[in-house]
């Protein structure tokens, strides 16, 4: 083997490695771009509206409005914002309200079914810390939770 042959093979190996490393993130580029923007949306929705002054001793239920969700896209990633509103049984006024965000996977995940739980590169779900969701968590706030009335 001549020295010239070794140099050519070495450059091919370096070129192929560089090309591989450069192309590797391309199938996930939509998730890479969306991850920061999804994180910002999570920060914007990390608050809980809580009418503490009027809440203690109230009986609330999950309002039917909470069953709808708003969908948007960030870099081909479907994002769903779901609003939870708990209203006073007597007045219908909102006592607690917050948003939860869900992200689906990018094109690679959706086309090839790589993951069934959303994106590969970032957490697909966020909700405010200490968001009430059960009878026990509402009790800690001094609120009684009941199932929504049937219309």
């Amino acid at each position: 083997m001549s020295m010239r042959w070794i140099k050519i093979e070495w450059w091919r190996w370096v070129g192929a490695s560089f090309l591989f490393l450069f192309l590797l993130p391309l199938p996930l580029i939509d998730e890479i771009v969306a991850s920061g923007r999804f994180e910002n949306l999570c920060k914007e929705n990390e608050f809980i509206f809580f009418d503490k002054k009027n809440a203690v001793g109230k009986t609330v239920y999950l309002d039917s409005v909470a069953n709808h969700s708003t969908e948007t896209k960030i870099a081909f990633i479907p994002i769903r914002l779901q609003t939870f509103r708990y209203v006073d049984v007597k007045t219908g006024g909102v006592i607690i309200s917050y948003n939860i965000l869900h992200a689906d996977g990018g094109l690679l995940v959706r086309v090839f079914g790589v993951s069934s739980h959303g994106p590969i590169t970032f957490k697909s779900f966020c909700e405010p810390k200490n968001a009430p969701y059960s009878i026990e968590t509402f009790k800690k706030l001094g609120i009684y939770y009941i199932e929504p009335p049937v219309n």
Side-chain angles (χ1 to χ4, degrees):
M1 228 189 251
S2 71
M3 188 60 105
R4 182 171 182 244
W5 178 253
I6 293 172
K7 284 182 182 178
I8 291 172
E9 288 301 314
W10 183 79
W11 282 107
R12 281 187 184 170
W13 183 83
V14 169
S17 298
F18 177 75
L19 191 59
F20 175 75
L21 291 174
F22 178 73
L23 295 176
L24 183 66
L26 285 183
L28 297 171
I29 198 73
D30 54 351
E31 288 190 10
I32 293 167
V33 169
S35 67
R37 293 176 65 193
F38 182 75
E39 197 62 37
N40 287 340
L41 277 175
C42 288
K43 286 178 185 173
E44 289 173 13
N45 288 281
E46 68 184 0
F47 64 90
I48 298 173
F49 168 78
F50 178 39
D51 186 2
K52 191 173 185 175
K53 184 175 124 184
N54 295 317
V56 177
K58 299 283 182 170
T59 301
V60 299
Y61 64 90
L62 181 61
D63 189 15
S64 61
V65 174
N67 293 328
H68 88 282
S69 60
T70 307
E71 201 165 299
T72 187
K73 283 191 177 186
I74 300 175
F76 301 111
I77 307 283
I79 307 291
R80 190 171 33 116
L81 182 135
Q82 192 171 20
T83 302
F84 286 77
R85 292 176 8 143
Y86 296 91
V87 296
D88 184 357
V89 169
K90 292 180 183 172
T91 67
V94 177
I95 301 296
I96 294 178
S97 136
Y98 57 88
N99 296 322
I100 291 179
L101 291 158
H102 304 269
D104 282 339
L107 286 173
L108 177 73
V109 170
R110 291 195 318 271
V111 170
F112 295 108
V114 177
S115 169
S116 61
H117 302 291
I120 296 171
T121 60
F122 64 95
K123 184 178 159 191
S124 64
F125 172 82
C126 66
E127 68 179 343
K129 291 180 179 140
N130 304 320
Y133 57 89
S134 69
I135 292 172
E136 292 79 29
T137 54
F138 279 100
K139 269 186 187 177
K140 290 178 184 175
L141 299 172
I143 301 170
Y144 301 100
Y145 173 77
I146 62 169
E147 291 298 317
V150 179
N151 293 333

